Amino acid sequence: MELQIKQHNGFKYVDEGQGEVLLLLHGLFGALSNWQGVVDEFARTHRVVIPMLPIYDMPLTRAGISGLVDFVEDFTKAMSLTQPAVVLGNSLGGHVALVYALRNPQRIRQMVLTGSSGLFEDSMGGSFPRRGDYQYVQERVAYTFYDPKVATKDLVDEVFDVTNSNAKCLRIIAIARSAQRHNVAKDLGKIKAPTLLIWGLNDTITPPVVAHEFHRLLPHSELHFLDHCGHAPMMERPQAFNRLLQQFLTPAASPAATPA
């Protein structure tokens, strides 16, 4: 299905389906469309909600992890999302999900992290995109994926437009620096929500060692790797990603209910 972007109280978002809420958070150079495969699969059984994070237009004084978590809190309040939700985050969105969970443990039923920052990330391959250099941006976007063909022209054009705006670049730099400063390692043990870690085995931005460290520090986590997959598994391996997500969301039959 084509994603329908809605607007309410100044928020832009996708809201599809009915049932338990899946709250999806995109990354620094991400977009609502990054979650297309999840919406297509899960809007049949869940209410899938994706806010557009104000990465490029939030006030510079608030451009950081805390400001983005404030935004998610305001958004869930405005949308009356009062029941505990399943929160999914990719890259920077995973980092926001973690801090949101630490601040609002009662609002999280389960959490899914994929290529999350919060411990370590090699943003844009270790350097910031140069203005006006399309080929450079194309290479950096391709670096996000195992298969460079996933970096479509539309995706590259989107990032190129962002890097050519001084105002947007200032906010991206502020948020990226905030993410690098805001290491969550010492707090992860406080997160009690069951957490699914889905990681690309070929992720060069948050490499597999980062996934293992999240798994070690999150007390109720399970870790799965997808081969031939980079930093955005829900885009590059959508079917495998959805299969793992489905298993995680469907509770196993209790022993009492299982026939002898």
Side-chain angles (χ1 to χ4, degrees), residues 119-167:
L119 295 178
F120 165 82
E121 72 280 350
D122 178 11
S123 53
M124 290 302 285
S127 54
F128 196 76
R130 295 192 288 266
R131 289 187 69 192
D133 188 338
Y134 188 87
Q135 186 179 349
Y136 179 80
V137 170
Q138 192 171 30
E139 287 168 4
R140 293 300 91 200
V141 174
Y143 180 83
T144 305
F145 304 102
Y146 172 78
D147 180 358
K149 291 198 289 291
V150 181
T152 61
K153 185 176 184 304
D154 285 350
L155 206 55
V156 175
D157 287 349
E158 208 170 299
V159 176
F160 183 70
D161 288 346
V162 169
T163 62
N164 273 334
S165 161
N166 268 340

Side-chain angles (χ1 to χ4, degrees), residues 111-259:
M111 188 162 54
V112 182
L113 304 176
T114 182
S116 178
S117 60
L119 295 178
F120 165 82
E121 72 280 350
D122 178 11
S123 53
M124 290 302 285
S127 54
F128 196 76
R130 295 192 288 266
R131 289 187 69 192
D133 188 338
Y134 188 87
Q135 186 179 349
Y136 179 80
V137 170
Q138 192 171 30
E139 287 168 4
R140 293 300 91 200
V141 174
Y143 180 83
T144 305
F145 304 102
Y146 172 78
D147 180 358
K149 291 198 289 291
V150 181
T152 61
K153 185 176 184 304
D154 285 350
L155 206 55
V156 175
D157 287 349
E158 208 170 299
V159 176
F160 183 70
D161 288 346
V162 169
T163 62
N164 273 334
S165 161
N166 268 340
K168 289 178 180 178
C169 276
L170 282 172
R171 282 157 180 79
I172 287 168
I173 291 167
I175 291 168
R177 285 178 178 162
S178 165
Q180 286 168 345
R181 285 194 306 269
H182 199 135
N183 189 293
V184 294
K186 68 183 188 307
D187 295 317
L188 292 182
K190 300 173 188 171
I191 294 178
K192 304 306 180 197
T195 302
L196 172 65
L197 303 166
I198 303 178
W199 234 259
L201 201 53
N202 313 96
D203 187 341
T204 50
I205 295 172
T206 48
V209 65
V210 178
H212 284 295
E213 188 67 357
F214 270 120
H215 186 36
R216 185 179 73 82
L217 294 170
L218 284 161
H220 303 289
S221 62
E222 61 178 85
L223 170 59
H224 299 270
F225 285 103
L226 297 179
D227 201 1
H228 302 119
C229 182
H231 189 54
M234 72 289 182
M235 295 175 71
E236 196 160 16
R237 297 283 310 279
Q239 289 175 314
F241 182 93
N242 286 346
R243 191 162 55 248
L244 290 169
L245 179 55
Q246 186 67 64
Q247 289 166 2
F248 181 65
L249 296 176
T250 307
S254 65
T258 306

Side-chain angles (χ1 to χ4, degrees), residues 39-86:
V39 177
D40 289 347
E41 180 70 23
F42 288 92
R44 292 175 287 189
T45 52
H46 291 73
R47 181 180 175 191
V48 184
V49 181
I50 322 172
M52 185 180 287
L53 299 178
I55 286 166
Y56 306 132
D57 49 18
M58 65 196 303
L60 255 178
T61 51
R62 296 184 65 203
I65 295 295
S66 292
L68 289 168
V69 175
D70 291 343
F71 171 88
V72 174
E73 290 173 342
D74 292 344
F75 174 75
T76 55
K77 195 177 297 180
M79 296 289 290
S80 301
L81 301 177
T82 53
Q83 296 300 311
V86 180

